[in-house]
Amino acid sequence: MPKFQIFTFMLQTLKTYFGYDSFRPLQEDIIRHLLNRKDALVLMPTGGGKSICYQLPALLSEGTAVVVSPLISLMKDQVEALCANGIPAGALNSTNDETANAALRRACMGGKLKLLYISPEKLLAEAGYLLRDMNISLFAIDEAHCISQWGHDFRPEYTQLGILHEQFPQVPIIALTATADKITRQDIVKQLHLHEPKVFISSFDRPNLSLTVKRGYQQKEKSRAILDFIHHHPNESGIIYCMSRSKTETVAQMLQKQGICATVYHAGLSPTQRDEAQDDFINDRVQVVCATIAFGMGIDKSNVRWVIHYNLPKSIESFYQEIGRAGRDGLPSDTLLFYSLGDLILLTKFAAESGQQGINLEKLNRMQQYAESDICRRRILLSYFGETMMHDCGNCDVCKNPPERFDGTIIVQKALSAIARTNQQIGISTLIDILRGTLSPEVSQKGYHQLKTFGAGRDIPPRDWQDYLLQMLQLGYFEIAYNENNHLKITASGSAVLFGKAIARLVVIRREEAASQRGHKRKVVNKELALDLPATESNDLFEVLRQLRKQLADQEALPAYIILSDKVLHLLSTARPTSIEEFGNISGIGEYKKKKYGKEFVEAIRKFME
Ligand code: ADP
Ligand code: ZN
């Protein structure tokens, strides 16, 4: 077929099955490459549109595409999404019962499926059996970084996937991942024995995610800030990542007390409890999940609208992956990170005691630099992943509210002088007690209330002291002796400030209440920009359509976002189609969904308009 004809055909198929009018950057090249039966390695951020890179070639080729996926929940989600678009697909894994698997095997052998999802164990077990009896169009290895010990999610089963090219030399392989540094990338190519693969790397930027850091908050202030944040996201799904199981519990209880529907997810729950939590979240039965890092790996929920980090993550990789779970549908979504000295001390201890001390401390250090940044935060993130960004993003707290500095020499001198007068034998909390003039047990026991600096910083609230001390640490005025009860030690540059030989410039601390209001207004503007549509969206209509979607989803026992994505609902409540034909023209609605849901949605819109 001539080149342009293939392209027309590709576009038609994209429109018919997925309802989209154009390809995203790289998708077209990757699809062509696979159709030429060549191997590829694809690096795209979460939500970048990896699935279509192999789903479309699967539709355009004879036979069945075999997709290896590490998690059963991921497979389930993908298969549901495909079937909802009228594409025959199935998942072969250990949770199916024997009858279901037998039917699936027959469908595979009869060439009835366009895509078969399979766990790596099953794939290895079936390589000499079922797979031999199938006409395989391509292999797609999803989450390919799982193959590498360097990646953050190593799965031993993945390492044996190297046999695929030996046993099926004619079948092209596409490996896909959202996180892979150079070593991991090389490892994927090597272990899968990819044959002269073309590597496609798309930008890791996720411009729809807003980035905000709040520094030096204590528990009470965090709670208040979280409630305020959720108040600005009514009915919107979100995840709160916490460092410990017990923290997930206390945060969830705090939210429940305020009438917010929240649940927990951590490794201490039974598998059934965990599935239940995940299911409730996916199906919009709970709004918030308070989770340890274990959560989110297996879900494709496209309408997670926000992610909060209650604690500092241990590396930028983890952080980026976790915030990446928000806004997969491309709509504006908000992220918030709390950064406190306590977390930093604890994580430093973990890193120092870990097997790979050097690497882990360095990773933590980079995370800290992000949290402390006074330049555009997105620039820091992208440069970490080896990308340079030529402009500020306009969608992070630093861009929106550039930090102002002031001469903080006296504040720094008060703190350092208090440290010096205790012979550098105190940690952060005692230091704050001394500065604030608080007679804590340690203070009275050691006689620190007799020091000249006792109460010298009474005018500054404890929270602001936390913030200033973090700044001083970052500026290098003191260090924390992690091996000496976290006592504070004044550095040479600290001494220079203490003895008046240098001035210290600190960042002005802002009250967040005003900022969050402003941020909210801006978000609404962004929403329109992202959709590229005039500002005529009706919130009431959106709500009507959301209810209808929920009702249809419950009838079919499917997650709401599989029926129609949030983005499609926004487009519908803006464009307000009143005929099935117009309904089908909305981006994201293919032929199958047009026929299946058109009537009901069009009726709901008509009724609303009357
Ligand atoms: P990934 O697997 O990379 O995380 P997905 O494949 O789930 O991302 O795609 C993310 C979202 O983008 C999905 O809602 C998908 O339907 C949508 N999408 C993918 N390709 C396109 C396209 N060409 N045009 C519009 N939306 C797209
Ligand atoms: Zn920015």
Side-chain angles (χ1 to χ4, degrees), residues 82 149 191 218 251 285 292 339 351 381 392 470 528:
L82 286 165
Q149 306 218 33
Q191 294 206 44
Q218 301 306 292
V251 175
R285 287 189 294 266
T292 54
Y339 168 45
L381 285 180
D392 288 350
L470 259 173
E528 288 145 18

Side-chain angles (χ1 to χ4, degrees), residues 121-190:
E121 306 80 44
K122 270 267 184 260
L123 179 96
L124 295 168
E126 295 289 357
Y129 303 93
L130 178 64
L131 298 191
R132 290 257 158 245
D133 296 328
M134 288 171 60
N135 178 13
I136 300 174
S137 54
L138 60 94
F139 286 113
I141 317 292
D142 205 6
E143 312 285 347
H145 59 274
C146 293
I147 206 168
S148 172
Q149 306 218 33
W150 300 103
H152 52 80
D153 192 31
F154 175 57
R155 284 167 191 261
E157 320 83 80
Y158 259 63
T159 54
Q160 292 174 53
L161 295 177
I163 61 150
L164 286 180
H165 245 346
E166 285 163 29
Q167 302 203 10
F168 303 89
Q170 307 305 330
V171 182
I173 296 183
I174 175 173
L176 309 107
T177 173
T179 46
D181 50 34
K182 257 205 189 118
I183 316 176
T184 313
R185 239 180 271 168
Q186 287 162 355
D187 222 17
I188 294 172
V189 171
K190 197 173 114 204

Side-chain angles (χ1 to χ4, degrees), residues 468-498:
Y468 288 137
L469 290 171
L470 259 173
Q471 292 190 42
M472 289 180 219
L473 178 67
Q474 185 70 8
L475 289 165
Y477 295 149
F478 63 79
E479 289 168 347
I480 297 177
Y482 295 101
N483 52 355
E484 257 184 69
N485 288 328
N486 300 322
H487 287 163
L488 310 176
K489 308 286 168 184
I490 300 168
T491 60
S493 58
S495 295
V497 178
L498 182 56

